[in-house]
Amino acid sequence: MVGANPKSAIDDGPMHAWQWLAVAITVGLNGLDGFDVLSISFASPGIAREWGVDQSILGWILSMELLGMAVGSVLLGGVADKVGRRPTMLGCLVAMTIGMHFAGVAGSVNELLGWRLLTGLGIGGMLAAINAAAAEFSNNRYRSLAMSLMVIGYPLGGVIGGLVVQQLLVAGNWRDVFSFGAWATAAFIPLVWFFVPETPAFLDRRRPEGALQRVNKALLRFGHAAVASLSVEAEGAPKRSIADIFKPALIATTLLITFAYFAHITSFYFILKWVPKIVVDMGFEPRAAAGVLTWANVGGATGGAIFGMLAIRFGLKPLTVIALVVSSGMIFWFGSGADDLARLSMMVAATGFFTNSAIVGLYSLFAKVFPTHVRATGTGFAIGVGRGGAALAPVLAGYLFAAGFGLQTVALCMGFGSLLAAIALLMLKERAAD
């Protein structure tokens, strides 16, 4: 039996096991991103102790891979829309593996900054590619669920990584954190190579040589019927370009959703980057600090999963706005501090619950509002600008702490980003992407 076209074959057909496997691998890839980003947070107390860096310098160390992500998301998001989701994932995995390995053997702050920058480049490109891939591997019915699962891979990676790091720090040091990350990242290269094909939606849009044969190979592997031809392009239709995200039809969407992500991610990364150092400064051991950060990711994974289920029944944008507003309140609450680890862990878990729910909503909106031919480009631009701004969050918090401001004041300043993000989303007009 021959199906109608690549788009309807995926969008309107059932979700088969091989499609879920491809989505599951994107979950794992996002988990790697979660661990790679958080690895520097896990390692920061040991770095500060070994090299004697102050809080302002530590802020730059914490931010460097975020700067790399900014560049990687913008540049490699476009690459993913030109050469494909699959080759972009593979290239980013290689860059991340190299960056993590050499960060673990760095002999100075400058060396560490350089390797964290390379790691960030890989992470940034990976985020743009897997966001598009997860959307394009799933059908209309389960797309929101697939996107939610992909996004909660990030905190799950932090949870699993946190548990491993706590054991590594018993007998090892901060360098072992990066060594573990490098091996874990390298293990995903063969998984992507053998089990993740190029998405039929990308092949249908870009139409490289042999596109129809590659589309049918992927469809048959996923359990769908082959198609007789690629989708019919309307005569006289304007030529599509990755620059379309800046053209009148999409410019308002691009700017609003980019600002929303920028503002919220600044608040989000204040929590993720500074929790271990704040806990150590309260007098607890680095191993305990890793445990508290793990609870942030437990809360994040739980919140993301619940958000994904709610998004099937309720509107995506209203849910995201609510999550953003509550996120701001949770960060303000975190600023009040706690006298014991149990209460502090509860506060951080609750904060992670809502902040990551909002991240799930924003990523799902990326896939919804950007059409296929610019899905990775639009996502990459929003992530790139957002992560570039987020790189300022640890630095700004570091300077505020160094200037003598207390945790409550710093949390009040950093928590306003989520409120601004909610306002931006209220102005966003949703559209169904093709």
Side-chain angles (χ1 to χ4, degrees), residues 2-55:
V2 178
N5 60 65
K7 179 174 173 58
S8 62
I10 296 293
D11 286 353
D12 302 326
M15 281 283 286
H16 292 293
W18 283 97
Q19 284 171 269
W20 282 118
L21 176 61
V23 171
I25 291 174
T26 68
V27 176
L29 290 171
N30 207 22
L32 286 177
D33 289 344
F35 177 80
D36 283 358
V37 171
L38 292 174
S39 62
I40 195 68
S41 297
F42 292 134
S44 62
I47 294 171
R49 185 168 54 252
E50 179 175 330
W51 288 337
V53 298
D54 62 22
Q55 288 178 312

Side-chain angles (χ1 to χ4, degrees), residues 1-15 19 135-140 143 198-208 210-220 222-233 372 375 434:
M1 180 178 178
V2 178
N5 60 65
K7 179 174 173 58
S8 62
I10 296 293
D11 286 353
D12 302 326
M15 281 283 286
Q19 284 171 269
E136 292 164 11
F137 282 136
S138 53
N139 63 11
N140 286 332
R143 185 160 294 139
E198 187 54 77
T199 69
F202 170 82
L203 294 170
D204 190 40
R205 284 291 187 192
R206 288 298 291 182
R207 307 194 175 204
L212 180 59
Q213 291 78 10
R214 293 174 66 187
V215 164
N216 282 330
K217 184 178 179 180
L219 289 176
L220 291 171
F222 287 158
H224 297 287
V227 296
S229 63
L230 300 177
S231 299
V232 177
E233 293 184 308
T372 302
R375 183 165 289 138
D434 61 356

Side-chain angles (χ1 to χ4, degrees), residues 46 86 248 269 325 377:
R86 182 175 182 268
Y269 270 99
V325 173
T377 300

